[in-house]
Amino acid sequence: MRVTITVDGTTYEDEVEPRTLLVHHLRNQLGKVGTVIGCDTSNCGACTVMMNGHSVKSCSVLAVQADGADITTVEGLARDGELHPVQEAFRDNHGLQCGYCTPGMIMSTIDLLAQNPSPDEHAVREGLEGNLCRCTGYQNIVRAALDAAQRLQADESPRLERTGSQTRTDSSQTMQETGGAR
């Protein structure tokens, strides 16, 4: 089945099997390996991406369901070499330990803060409850999310808008030609 999906500002047209999960399409066909596979059952949230402005667990979405969608992965957050304020807050507050859950935590935090720009600790914990971290006690993750809220309030520029999208057809061929991940 042919799908057209915009990922991190670039439009890709690809043939996908109807049963291909979005997470596998992102990683295997588009080389977006920052989106990690944690459980394949939607329990851990490690594979969270933004789809049309809302967080989704990409292991629970088929690639064909994302046809026509605008996807933002953790790799698409930085602009001009500068980290997104949520990424900065996670780095500065050591909101990670092994780092495996971090991409999903960051993407879920962005969605949480879009819905509630001034959360308290309870709201952060409740908003991130669909994301599991097996290494930390969540203290630094919560601290990072609260810090990110303050940073985003101070930063008036919209952080997930994409302009000047490029179009690429048959990304698997493009990935092979450039030696990208397959």
Side-chain angles (χ1 to χ4, degrees), residues 50-112:
M50 300 299 284
M51 184 164 120
N52 297 327
H54 299 284
S55 64
V56 297
K57 294 176 180 177
S58 61
C59 74
S60 66
V61 176
L62 296 171
V64 296
Q65 291 175 300
D67 187 27
D70 185 15
I71 306 292
T72 303
T73 70
V74 72
E75 291 141 319
L77 295 176
R79 293 223 182 131
D80 301 322
E82 291 188 34
L83 294 176
H84 184 282
V86 174
Q87 290 172 308
E88 289 176 343
F90 268 74
R91 179 198 61 206
D92 294 348
N93 290 279
H94 197 65
L96 59 106
Q97 192 161 330
C98 81
Y100 202 81
C101 70
T102 306
M105 288 285 187
I106 287 171
M107 300 308 287
S108 293
T109 298
I110 289 170
D111 193 32
L112 165 69

Side-chain angles (χ1 to χ4, degrees), residues 18-55:
R19 65 178 183 237
T20 302
L21 293 173
L22 179 59
V23 68
H24 293 294
H25 179 67
L26 291 170
R27 289 179 58 81
N28 300 336
Q29 214 160 343
L30 303 183
K32 299 293 184 173
V33 295
T35 302
V36 297
I37 300 170
C39 65
D40 265 344
T41 61
S42 77
N43 287 321
C44 74
C47 67
T48 302
V49 298
M50 300 299 284
M51 184 164 120
N52 297 327
H54 299 284
S55 64

